Every structure is written in C-alpha cells, then in structure tokens.
Amino acid sequence: LAADRVEGLDARARRLAESLAAAEQGLPEGSPHAPFVVEARRAAEGLAATGELPPARRAFGEVSRFLMPVAAADERLVEGRYAYSCPMTGSTFGKWFGGEEMENPYMGQEMLQCGTAADWTVSGVDSVEELEGHVEHVHGVEPTDPEAVAFHTCPMHPSVRAHEPGACPICGMDLEPVTAGEVASGVVFVDERRRQAIGVRTAPVVRAAMGGSVEAVGKVVFDETRLTDVSVKYRGWIGQLHVDESGQAVRRGQPLFTLYSPELYAAQQDFLTALGSQRAARGTAAPERADYLVRAARERLRLWDLAPAQIDRLAATGEAVERIPILSPASGFVVEKNVVEGAAVEPGQKLFRIAGLDRVWVEAEVYESELPRVAVGQPAVVTFPYLPGKEFRGKVGFVYPYLDGASRTGRVRVELANPEGALKPDMYASVAIATTGGERLAVPESAVLHAGKRDFVFVDLGDGRLRPQRVETGMDDGEHVEIVSGLEIGDVVVTSGNFLVAAESRLRLALDRWQ
C-alpha cells in the first residue's frame, strides 16, 4: 500500500486471515484477547476482498486497529517492530506498525514519510466492552443514513475525534458532530475565526467570457507563394551575368544574364523568315497564306519565355540576337544562385531562386495540448527580441495537419506584412495567438486544486462547512478556468487559503473515495 499497489494484496491478506484463524483456535477459552483476534481476522478477510487502493487502505486500517491491542499484550510480539501514527488519514484508522523505516501505507508515495512514532494503544478498543461498542458503532451506521453522526471533531484541530460530544483536549472548544454523509463526501467544518486566520476567501461560480492567448516560439520563413525559380526551356551557355551574387534585389523584367542558345537563335531566324514570307504574300492573290507561319513562330518564342517587347523588337530590327537577355520573372531578392559566366545550362535547370519578402510567414511551434484552441483567422501578435518595442500583427493562415514526433508540437502559420524588410527569414520570434471561447461556466484560477490527473475545488456549503468537489476543467485564460462538469452556476467555491483547508480537511480521504 505504501507503494500505491494492490497486486498480490489479496493473497497476503488471506494468509494473514488464515494465521489469525489458527491463533483463534489456539487461544484458551475465555482469553481476553480472543475478541480482538476474531475482529482482526474478519478485517483481514475484508482486506482480501478489496481490489482497489482506497477500500484496501480503509480495510488495512481496521486490521491494524484490532491487531495493535493484541501485539501490545506481549512485549515479545512487538520486538523489532515500531508503531506509527498519521493525522492526515481522514476517517481511516491512523495507526500502523512496521519496521524501523517509516513508510505510510495510507498516504502512499505522495506522502510516504508523513507520520510520527506512536504508542500501541488504540482509543475505543482497549477492553472487550469497548471493542464491542466500537464494532457496534462501526457496523451500526449504514452508509445510506447520511444524517447519522459518525464522530465528533474540533474545527480547530480536525485530528481530534470522539464518539461522544465534549470538549477538545487541545483547545477546549466544543466538538462538532460530523455525519456519515459528510464523512463520505469529505465535508469539514472551518469556523469564521479559523477562516480569517488562514485567509479563506470565496467566490461564486459564474458564466464568464473566456479569452486568453496561446504562447509559442516561432521562426520567420519565406512566404512560399512568393518564391520564383528562374530556368530556361532550351540548352545554352551563359554570356554576361548581370546578377552575380546572392542577396541582390531584383525587379520584374530586369535582365539577369544573357544566354546563347543555337535552338533559340534558330527559332528567331524562323520567325524572321515567316515575316519575310508574309510580306511577300501581300502582293499575291492570297495575302493571308503566310500569316499562320508568323503566328506559329511568334507563339514558339513566347512559349520559350521571350517577352512580347523582345519579340516586337526582333520583328522591327529584322536581326536575330545571338545572346538574348533573360529577364527576371518576379521582384524580390535572389536567395539562390546556381550559375556563373560561361556555364552550360540545360532545360529545366534551376538557375536562380527569387523570394519576395514584402510578406513573410512565422511558423510557430504550438504544444499538442493547446492546438485545439487555435484556428485559422485568429489574430496573432508577434514580437522579436532584436526589435524591442515593436509588435507585428497578423492572422493565423494555416494549421498544419501533423505533429513533430520529437517535440510533440504542431506548426501554426502566421502571415505578416513586411513592407520595410525588417523581418528576415530564420529570425526567432515570440507568438501570442488570441483565443476566444465565448461565455462559459467558470471559477477563478486560484480555486482549482490539482491532484495528479484530477482537479478539485472546495464548495462552501454555508455554516462553516466546506466540501471538496471533483471537477472537470476546460479552457484556462490565465484568470478563469472553465468548469465542464462538477459545479453549477451559483455554487460558492474557495479561492484563497484552499491549500491550508485541504491540509486540515484530510483531502486525501476524499481523493481516495473518488478514484
């Protein structure tokens, strides 16, 4: 139990029950210890029947409750063993015995060393009469009777418990009754004076507009829609290189280099020949017979990416150009250059890559758990550590449909205008994506306590009574937490001092019951 496991517990508990049954048979008739052994054996049989951690711990408490008086009856039985006590066990019997190293079987790995050395006495079962009264008390209060008084406790010292009303032995305050229903739900009493001492504050559950943002780290990349590759559709050789280094700014229509190509030169000659035939045909009876040849030759040059102005100039001069200028198809910056003067080129070979940087993308890495909060069109604010005081505003343009397997993050694309060119690819950025969830049932963020994978709040029932309530949470905007289930509008929850309340209210009992 100290290791938070129940594997093999049933077999051990059965062996204990068998040993106690043998001890029961071996005791002399009328032995004052027989009733304790009988109850310990019954508790061990109940322990063997449990299959989950919370009921197993409660059953283990009952085994310890009856075995400790038996062990204390003979000093030989306690030799090499130590008794321990823990005040945080709730309604479960808080004592146990074991080896020299203390390992708390009730609190497990979360609070393994919680406890102190204790004596071997057990309040309420020190005699046969008290034992019978305890058994009647334990088995006489049915779980279906929530109004029955389970015990009395002190609001200032919740570790104090008594079966009858009276005064607290520590502070003298009157003991308050705790019903079976309150025990089952973990309700505790914290009076007004104690509330003020530990700073308890409350707030109602309301419907609130949930907002917030998703924070992520991003990187500037090229806008892929503004990338243009320069290539040719025929073989040739580079002549003069006008753009001879990466990073240069170019304009659409600006010459990048000149190219000599026998194929392109022959195509120009064919176009000029077709023009000559067209002029000759005009003095004949069929003046339009050569028009289709001109159209075919012109279309061939156009498909080979000669600009209309270049074709018109060729027609006007009547002379083919050996080294034809190759013009930039787009404005931007040269980010790749794969040629030098005199180099041979092949059809389709990438000679330059030109990127327009008047608009860029920022690709943000968003954690898998936050991706459902991100959608296309949401506004985003992007900042850069090397541009202090400047904010760039854009929108989510795309959410990539896959994750990075190593980092468990998804990529989100934010599109930004970059007219001044301040944003450069591979810059790191901080991205805040604004999210809105509309009106939702919510409590202040400080009201929610986290226990592993479970979330809890304390509900104020009035008259000083606080009940731990398990809730299912949703969106968190930094101020409020969405409540998906577990609370209703108008409920009042503790928002300050709840960690101290949790410690004093034996929250562990309630958590175990709700596992």
Side-chain angles (χ1 to χ4, degrees), residues 56-81:
R57 283 180 165 139
R58 292 192 289 273
F60 176 80
E62 292 303 301
V63 173
S64 299
R65 188 193 302 273
F66 298 120
L67 277 184
M68 293 190 81
V70 175
D74 191 321
E75 61 181 11
R76 293 173 298 177
L77 295 177
V78 299
E79 184 176 352
R81 296 184 175 88

Side-chain angles (χ1 to χ4, degrees), residues 240-496:
Q240 184 179 2
L241 201 58
H242 298 294
V243 177
D244 55 0
E245 59 185 28
S246 298
Q248 281 187 247
V250 296
R251 302 181 310 278
R252 180 183 178 89
Q254 173 184 337
L256 299 175
F257 57 89
T258 60
L259 183 74
Y260 167 69
S261 170
E263 295 175 70
L264 182 58
Y265 188 79
Q268 294 179 75
Q269 294 288 7
D270 291 343
F271 175 63
L272 295 175
T273 301
L275 286 176
S277 298
Q278 185 184 48
R279 287 192 293 269
R282 286 175 182 167
T284 65
E288 71 283 354
R289 64 181 181 181
D291 290 350
Y292 77 93
L293 295 175
V294 174
R295 288 195 298 270
R298 178 182 285 272
E299 184 66 11
R300 184 183 182 188
L301 294 175
R302 188 190 68 81
L303 292 175
W304 277 3
D305 297 328
L306 263 67
Q310 290 177 301
I311 300 174
D312 292 341
R313 190 178 304 111
L314 174 63
T317 61
E319 293 183 3
V321 180
E322 290 186 3
R323 298 185 181 276
I324 195 80
I326 303 300
L327 309 181
S328 174
S331 298
F333 293 85
V334 175
V335 295
E336 287 186 37
K337 169 182 167 293
N338 301 314
V339 294
V340 294
E341 289 189 357
V345 299
E346 295 292 329
Q349 177 183 345
K350 182 169 68 174
L351 308 178
F352 291 89
R353 170 163 285 187
I354 299 170
L357 294 180
D358 56 327
R359 176 172 289 273
V360 294
W361 292 348
V362 174
E363 291 187 342
E365 302 291 332
V366 177
Y367 286 114
E368 180 179 2
S369 59
E370 295 186 309
L371 275 175
R373 299 173 56 191
V374 179
V376 173
Q378 289 176 332
V381 176
V382 184
T383 57
F384 299 85
Y386 12 78
L387 297 173
K390 288 189 176 182
E391 291 184 346
F392 295 82
R393 300 182 180 274
K395 291 185 177 181
V396 174
F398 189 70
V399 179
Y400 289 81
Y402 50 81
L403 296 181
D404 182 288
S407 63
R408 306 307 302 166
T409 58
R411 278 196 297 163
V412 175
R413 180 197 304 162
V414 177
E415 300 174 354
L416 295 180
N418 185 33
E420 298 179 0
L423 306 183
K424 298 173 175 56
D426 288 331
M427 275 185 168
Y428 283 105
S430 297
V431 182
I433 302 171
T435 60
T436 56
E439 279 200 352
R440 306 198 179 196
L441 200 67
V443 298
E445 187 179 39
S446 59
V448 180
L449 295 172
H450 305 285
K453 296 181 179 179
R454 296 165 296 170
D455 298 322
F456 290 84
V457 299
F458 276 100
V459 178
D460 189 346
L461 303 178
D463 298 325
R465 299 184 182 274
L466 305 174
R467 184 190 72 221
Q469 173 67 42
R470 185 175 180 180
V471 295
E472 183 181 350
T473 59
M475 182 182 295
D476 183 345
D477 65 3
E479 294 184 4
H480 293 86
V481 176
E482 177 191 3
I483 301 298
V484 178
S485 64
L487 294 174
E488 296 181 356
I489 187 121
D491 287 343
V492 178
V493 298
V494 176
T495 61
S496 176

